[in-house]
Each structure stands twice: as C-alpha cells, then as structure tokens.
Amino acid sequence: MADVPAERTVGGVSGRRAYVMPLKNRSTLLGGVVILAMALVSVLAPRLAPFDPATSGDSPVFQGRSSVPHSPPFWDKSGNAPYVEDPADPFAIYFRSLPFQPEHVLGTDGQARDMLSLLLYGLRFSLSVGLMTVALVAVVGVALGLTAGWRGGLWDDLVVWASDAAESVPALLAYALFASAVSGPVAGRLGSVGLDLAPAPATALVLSFVAWAPVARLVRARVIELRHAEWVFAARSIGARAPRILLRHILPYTVGTALVASSSQLPVLLLADGLLGAIGVGYRPRSGSLGELIFREFKYALDEPVFVLMPTALLLLMAFGTAALADGVRRALAPQ
Amino acid sequence: MLAYAFRRLLWAVPTLWVVVTLTYFGVNVAFVQTRHDALQLALSGAEVPAADENYLPIYLVDGSLRDGYLFFLKDLVRLRWGESVTHQFRPVAEVVREGFAVTGRIGLLAFALAAGLGLPFGALAARRGGWLDRSVSWGATLAYGVPGPVTIILMLTLSVYLIPVRLFSVPWDADGGWRNYVLPSLVLGLGAGGYLALVARAAVLDVLGQDYVRTAHAKGLRERTVVWRHIVRNALPTILAATGRTLGVLLAGSLLVEYAYYVPGTGRLLLDAFTARDSQLILAGVCLYTSLILAANIAADVAARLADPRTRSGER
C-alpha cells in the first residue's frame, strides 16, 4: 500500500502534479517560449541593434533627397522601383523607393531609420510596458474584485460604480490627459535611470488607469460565484477567518481569470501607447515603441505594406504569447 | 421596473459629474506641462500659469482654477458648450454634431453587422456544436481579440496583395461617399460581432443545460416552441444587456480606428482638440461620449430586466 504511485490515487491527479501538468500544454509552452525569446532579444537589444534608431536617419545614403523614402528589406530584390506619381489623384502617396541597402537588413522606415533597430528597441519598450501593465492591472483588478465581491455593501457599490465610470470615459483621451499630467513630475525624477526604459513604468501606470475596470468586474463576478462554493462553506464551518479563506480558497481561482482578462487587453493597450507616442504626449522613449512604429508606417500601408506588417506581426505575437501564458497560469492555479 | 430605471438614471448623474470634473482638471493641468507642481497649485486654488500664450484657458476667471470650474459647471448645466478655438470659433455644438453624424453612421452600420452576424452565428454554434461551434468560437475570439487598427492593417494589406479592386477608400475621401464607410464599419463590426457571438454562444449554452429545456423536450413540445418560448426567452436578458452596451460603445466611436483611418468623426475631433489644446471641444466631446455610453448601458440593463421572464409578475 505504501508504494502506490501518486497517479493511481482515487480522484485523479494530486499534489504537485496538478500544478505542473497544465504547464506542459502545447500552447502554454509555445507562449512561454515566445515571450522568453522576446525578452531575451529585448534585453540584448542594445547589442543586437546595428544602429541607434533615433539617429540612424542621418545616414549619408539619404542625404540630399527631397522626399525621405523607404528602402526595402532583404527579401525584396526589386532594385530601383519606379517613382510613383499620379497628378490626377490628389491623395496618391508620392515616394521614391530606393534599392536594398546592405547595412539596413530589414529596410528603413519613412524617416530613413533602420527598421531592425527600430523593431528591436520598440519590442524592448513595448514588451516591458506590456508586461508591466498586464501585471499591474491584474494585481489591482484582483485586489479590488476580491474585496468588493467578498463583502458586498458600500465598498462593493463603490468599486462597481468606479469601474462603470472608468469604462464610460474615452480611454485614449483619458490616457492622453493622464500622461500629460503625470509626465512632468515623473520625468523629473526618473530622468537618468536607463535611457530607453525610463518611461516604461510611467506609461504602464498611465495605461492601467482605465484598463483595470473590466478585470475588476470579472474578478468580482467570479468571487460572488465562488462565495457559495462548497469548499468555502467547509472552510467557514471549521472556523476559518475571512482573510484565510480569501487567500487560500478563492484567490487561486481568480488570479488566472484576472491574468487572462488583462492580457487580452494587451494589443489595444500597446496600440494606445502607440497613439500617445504618435500624438507626442507624455514621457516617451527616445526610440519609440512598436505601437508608434505602426502608426507612423500606417500611411504607407497601401503602397509598402511590409513596413507596417512587421511591427504588427511582433505585436500580435506578443499578444498571443501573453494570452497563452495567462491561460496556462489560469489552468495551473485552478485545475478544473 | 420604473424604480430601477429611475435609480440607474439617478446614479448616472454623479458619474457624469465626476467624469466631467476629472476631465476639466485634467485638461487644465495637462496643458500646463512645464510646471511640475501644476497639480498641487490647481488643487490649492492658486493661479496656474499657462505654458504659453497660445493656450487660452477659456474658463479661468481671474486666474483661479476653482472659480473657473464653477463657471464651467454653470455653463454646462445650461447646455452652453461655447465656441471652438481651433475650428474658426464655430460653436462647439455644431462641430460636434458634424462629427457625430459620421461616427454615428459608422456605429450604426457596425452594429447592424455585429448583431446581424454575431448573434445568429453564436446562437447556432451553441445549438449545433461540432465543427460549427469550434470554427465560430475560434473566429469570434480572433475577431474580438485583434484590435481595430490591426484589423485595418491586415485588411488593407490583403486588399493590396489579393484584391485589385478599390473597394475601400483609403484614406477618407471627402467626396468618396459610401466607400468611406466600408472599412471602418467592417472593422468595428467584425470586432463587436466576435464579442456578441461569444456572448450569444455562452448564453445559449447556459440555457441549453438547464432543466426546463429538457422538460420541454420531454413534454413533446415542437422544436420551434422549445426554441422560441424557452431557449430564446431565457437567453434574451444576457444577450440584450451585452448588445445594448455594444451599441453604446460603437456609437461613441473608436478613437484608435478614427485616428488611424482619418475618419472625421467625434473620436478624431477629440484627439485633434487635445493636440490643439481646444478645451471647449474636449469637454463637450467627453460629455457626449460618456452620456452615450451611460445611456446605452442603462437602456441595455433595463431592457434585460424587462425581458427576463422571472421579473414579469412584478417581483424584483
């Protein structure tokens, strides 16, 4: 009897295996690998990037040209593409396309800056902002949702009302206003801490200003559901106090939901960050984020779509990775 | 029922007030970026000097932010929105109305698309199951998860590589007519449609698992009766609530989509007003946005309660 292996226990998987098994799920692993790879690349970005994106537009190749063109990535060997001009169409985008420049492997953007460096530094900033925001939003959402859903009453009413109010505000405008208001004092204090990533915490804070609402609402609904669960009832009947019940019996089932909800907002948040950068509001990194790159390259989407597709692909990949990881965490914490 | 609606409307007033107040102070503090203690000054009622003379703080009276705020509230209650600094001093109400004409149309089209496609597909997927369910769930999650501008990018590039016909009008053409509305409505409608499909599917699945459906089948009722009288009737409240909220969000407009696509709607107006520091326009735009969403939410929740068969006989 003593050597019955854990798997054969009546009732299924027990103990530590319950936490580890969902992590071996294929999409969770894939998501984890993607995020780790991106994090690695981001950390090494200053080493990997061939140019400093903020200054690479001064390359001598582009000097003396009246319009600043793109140069194509390495797979586009079309050489000298024809000059596109259509005087009959007042909205045609005029550009002169350059041949492939060997030192700009992925081409250059609309302001003659190296795409590879822009993507690397942009990924660095966007990944840090994204992960920080997801974490912050999940933490705030869980804290508010737990406390509101458990007791009910005045605090619950307040939290519900606050989340309704937060959702009825034009989010981007709120970000813009908050970013401008916050950037002053923050820029003063964080000025010299690591050139590129200094604005990241401030931006994460700004973005979580509105994004916490749907997460808090979901967590609260979940807690209200779980209040009537049998194990909670059992814990209460043996005299467990509220904090212990909350932490040990309810929290594990809400963290996963909160993470899934906040990571599903990630693409929109990164685009909002890009919009802030495009408008030029708040404390921005020198090299711009992925969202900014998307918005800047958007106007060339019809003529040279590859330049807007590159940061978009990275953004979607990041969104997929975080969503898969969050789902894995949810299934690990709440095996159901 | 009337009491519930009244209570919700009553709660909407302080919400609107808080939002407007925060916006007012936000606007006045945000546009004074050079002073790091702008926020403290504003809160203590002292004079907050403007960053440069190009910014005309309309409501600052004798330099005190608090007095300016009271004047602003008085005008707001009398529905006097003022003149727009950046739009040749035209009345703000007129400018916003023009913007809303565009955004409202896009919102209605997107809503028609979303409700017309999302709801039936979601409900069908829940009932039929199998490959339909899997593909609808997957497609809906994708449509809902990918944000507007990204969908625009993907569709635009698709049109470059695949469809030579210029069905879309990029960017917004002043005399483009209906072609202008295709892409934004499509993009917003697909996203919202994905959301509604997921909601409908979840609601119907919920109902299908209930005992009364099984009872109805056991009683030998016709399939159509079961579907309409039991399934639809009971799934309706949840679906109505979600649909109403979606309508509100769509009518209010997506700032991201409007910015990316140069749509001359309220969203773009708001962002342009922000860059141009046009505080009157910002405040009016925020009022419109918030009121739309609050009204839609209240209407949705009231409709959901009305449709709920459990509240029919006057019980709460």
Side-chain angles (χ1 to χ4, degrees), chain B residues 79-110:
Chain B
L79 290 184
R80 290 233 293 250
W81 305 106
E83 273 97 42
S84 160
V85 173
T86 51
H87 287 256
Q88 296 86 39
F89 286 98
R90 284 163 58 207
V92 163
E94 197 180 298
V95 175
V96 167
R97 202 178 311 139
E98 284 173 5
F100 186 63
V102 173
T103 303
R105 256 182 237 147
I106 295 182
L108 282 178
L109 279 175

Side-chain angles (χ1 to χ4, degrees), chain B residues 61-135:
Chain B
V61 175
D62 290 339
S64 162
L65 202 59
R66 273 213 286 255
D67 292 340
Y69 175 60
L70 289 174
F71 269 84
F72 160 67
L73 276 187
K74 267 211 292 213
D75 273 348
L76 190 66
V77 167
R78 286 182 286 177
L79 290 184
R80 290 233 293 250
W81 305 106
E83 273 97 42
S84 160
V85 173
T86 51
H87 287 256
Q88 296 86 39
F89 286 98
R90 284 163 58 207
V92 163
E94 197 180 298
V95 175
V96 167
R97 202 178 311 139
E98 284 173 5
F100 186 63
V102 173
T103 303
R105 256 182 237 147
I106 295 182
L108 282 178
L109 279 175
F111 179 70
L113 185 66
L117 276 188
L119 291 180
F121 269 109
L124 263 179
R127 286 214 69 210
R128 296 284 170 81
W131 66 270
L132 182 67
D133 187 14
R134 274 195 300 263
S135 47

Side-chain angles (χ1 to χ4, degrees), chain B residues 193-274:
Chain B
Y195 174 69
L196 285 182
L198 289 173
V199 165
R201 178 180 171 274
V204 173
L205 272 181
D206 234 1
V207 167
L208 281 179
Q210 298 285 351
D211 287 337
Y212 49 81
V213 171
R214 212 169 342 143
T215 312
H217 275 125
K219 281 205 299 192
L221 291 177
R222 263 186 313 179
E223 189 63 21
R224 198 195 316 184
T225 317
V226 176
V227 164
W228 285 103
R229 265 234 288 202
H230 295 279
I231 298 182
V232 168
R233 197 54 140 0
N234 285 283
L236 206 53
T238 322
I239 295 184
L240 269 183
T243 311
R245 282 166 185 258
T246 310
L247 178 63
V249 167
L250 286 177
L251 277 181
S254 159
L255 275 78
L256 276 179
V257 167
E258 293 196 9
Y259 181 83
Y261 194 59
Y262 296 103
V263 172
T266 46
R268 190 144 239 269
L269 266 183
L270 266 181
L271 287 179
D272 286 343
F274 178 81

Side-chain angles (χ1 to χ4, degrees), chain B residues 5 22 34 48 93 110 132 143 146-147 167-168 173 204 206 208 232-233 235 254 256 261 273 277 279 309 311:
Chain B
L22 282 179
T34 51
V48 182
L132 182 67
V146 174
L167 191 59
F168 312 134
D173 227 333
V204 173
D206 234 1
L208 281 179
V232 168
R233 197 54 140 0
S254 159
L256 276 179
Y261 194 59
R277 299 173 162 191
S279 47
T311 53

